[in-house]
Amino acid sequence: MAKVKINRPFTLLGESIGVGERKTLALEAAKLYTHSPLNIPIEVVNGVMEGPILMVCAAIHGDELNGVEVVRQLLAKIDPNQLRGTLIAVPIVNVFGFIHKSRYLPDRRDMNRSFPGSERGSLAGRMAYMFFNQVAVHCTHIIDLHTGAIHRTNLPQIRANLADEATAQMAKAFGTPAVIDASLRNGSLRSEAANLGIPVITYEAGEALRFDPIAIAAGVQGVDYVMRHLKMIRGKRPKKLPDPVIASSTSWVRAEVDGIVRAQVSLGERVMKGQVLAYISSPLGDSELELLAPRSGIIIGQQTMPLVNEGDAVFHIAYFAHANSLVEQQLETFIDEINDLDDELKTAELNN
């Protein structure tokens, strides 16, 4: 067995974080109209033993709040004296969007389509460039925390490029019942980090501008499992959780007419080809359309607002090579486990 080496001081943003030390840093991202600085808060926990450099970041889309709470709970658990390697925790990347409760930056651009950015580009490009080059490039692994968009909710899931072995191992270790084999999208943090050989997984769960207890508890547990997989903290991934099932493809089912939606299925539910997912009616009920499942699969995303226009995405369905009944069973087991974990966390907070 290889001997564990003592860690070294870690430098980020010109600050040195000693062995066994944690330090809060501020990356000045921009200025408000008043010239008041707007900083991205970063906490670095540098372990006593050598190991990976893992970044866990959230709110690249400023209205996606579950990940902010995941990072807070994660930091409360980490002891630098028991840590191998370095944890870089960034609860709010898009501070502009966070302040304004918006997915976007003030220039209406999506930061997660702006990487690696440009020093002389748009505001989104400049912030992406600064964050990518001053923080992300120093990592060996990244977990990027997301939720669904506004009025859309996602079942806890991992999206990753499974063609890369290190990324696939992280995705499996996270412990969600479903993993989406998602191709890299130009301009995303995941894509640009992968170009540098940094494995990145994206965790999707819950809805924008909402705290979802299951999504948060699953996120905290998943990051913990990945850190165990990377040998940053002690312990093994529990054997009782099943391996994730890989989705071969996904698609959105869209509204064919305008109207009011009455959903007949819910998040995580198994659906069969031709099954009625929802009825779309006029306000008086004199016209009604059935929204049908195009293939058998599992609902992994859903619009939460019952008002739709023609063409709106209403249900996101994942399709699996395995039998859907197997996926459904694993989802039920996963949700039961997360509910138990959430109860344990609430009890622990009350006792502290």
Side-chain angles (χ1 to χ4, degrees):
M1 181 180 291
K3 186 177 180 181
V4 177
K5 296 181 181 179
I6 300 300
N7 207 1
R8 300 177 181 179
F10 181 76
T11 301
L12 189 70
L13 306 181
E15 296 273 352
S16 179
I17 300 91
V19 175
E21 183 182 3
R22 61 195 306 158
K23 183 177 287 189
T24 300
L25 310 178
L27 172 61
E28 185 175 322
K31 285 187 170 65
L32 298 173
Y33 299 125
T34 60
H35 277 215
S36 300
L38 198 60
N39 296 326
I40 297 174
I42 301 172
E43 183 149 341
V44 180
V45 185
N46 196 29
V48 296
M49 295 164 282
E50 191 176 68
I53 302 167
L54 171 68
M55 178 172 73
V56 181
C57 62
I60 284 181
H61 296 134
D63 59 357
E64 298 184 358
L65 306 182
N66 283 328
V68 180
E69 177 62 10
V70 170
V71 173
R72 185 194 71 80
Q73 292 188 22
L74 172 66
L75 286 170
K77 296 172 58 177
I78 295 297
D79 180 358
N81 293 311
Q82 301 296 322
L83 179 67
R84 291 184 180 181
T86 305
L87 172 66
I88 301 174
V90 190
I92 306 162
V93 178
N94 180 359
V95 285
F96 266 119
F98 185 79
I99 288 171
H100 295 291
K101 306 180 185 69
S102 169
R103 177 183 179 90
Y104 303 107
L105 285 152
D107 60 2
R108 296 298 299 166
R109 285 181 167 87
D110 186 333
M111 190 173 181
N112 208 32
R113 299 293 178 268
S114 302
F115 289 101
S118 169
E119 203 170 8
R120 296 174 177 268
S122 65
L123 175 60
R126 292 178 187 220
M127 286 187 65
Y129 179 86
M130 185 180 304
F131 180 71
F132 191 75
N133 287 281
Q134 295 195 39
V135 183
V137 297
H138 298 288
C139 306
T140 61
H141 302 77
I142 297 174
I143 301 175
D144 187 18
L145 306 174
H146 286 261
T147 76
I150 191 167
H151 303 313
R152 288 185 189 172
T153 185
N154 283 333
L155 184 78
Q157 62 196 258
I158 288 293
R159 297 181 184 178
N161 174 26
L162 302 183
D164 178 74
E165 181 60 28
T167 303
Q169 289 179 4
M170 286 176 66
K172 181 178 178 180
F174 198 96
T176 59
V179 171
I180 313 301
D181 189 1
S183 58
L184 298 172
R185 182 172 291 182
N186 290 338
S188 67
L189 174 63
R190 189 163 66 92
S191 173
E192 297 306 322
N195 289 339
L196 298 181
I198 303 170
V200 184
I201 60 173
T202 298
Y203 173 63
E204 289 273 359
E207 180 182 0
L209 296 176
R210 299 285 185 274
F211 268 4
D212 182 319
I214 289 179
I216 292 167
V220 174
Q221 176 180 268
V223 174
D224 181 89
Y225 285 171
V226 172
M227 293 183 73
R228 294 184 191 199
H229 162 72
L230 296 174
K231 296 182 170 53
M232 296 182 71
I233 56 178
R234 293 180 180 177
K236 295 181 179 179
R237 179 173 176 259
K239 293 181 180 179
K240 62 182 178 181
L241 287 180
D243 289 336
V245 182
I246 309 301
S248 55
S249 61
T250 70
S251 69
W252 279 96
V253 180
R254 296 181 179 275
E256 295 298 328
V257 295
D258 311 289
I260 300 170
V261 176
R262 303 195 321 276
Q264 304 299 300
V265 296
S266 56
L267 207 61
E269 188 170 334
R270 175 167 61 106
V271 297
M272 306 303 292
K273 181 178 179 180
Q275 180 177 340
V276 176
L277 304 177
Y279 296 101
I280 303 177
S281 307
S282 63
L284 295 176
D286 52 353
S287 65
E288 184 171 85
L289 176 77
E290 293 180 342
L291 193 62
L292 305 179
R295 293 169 56 188
S296 298
I298 299 290
I299 304 294
I300 62 166
Q302 181 175 354
Q303 177 167 315
T304 58
M305 187 171 64
L307 308 178
V308 294
N309 291 117
E310 180 180 345
D312 282 354
V314 185
F315 294 98
H316 196 192
I317 304 179
Y319 309 111
F320 298 89
H322 293 73
N324 288 332
S325 57
L326 172 63
V327 183
E328 186 178 37
Q329 181 181 0
Q330 293 190 187
L331 285 170
E332 290 175 357
T333 302
F334 172 79
I335 291 172
D336 287 344
E337 294 287 344
I338 293 302
N339 279 326
D340 291 343
L341 176 64
D342 187 45
D343 290 340
E344 291 174 11
L345 290 172
K346 288 177 180 176
T347 301
E349 286 191 358
L350 288 173
N351 292 335
N352 287 339

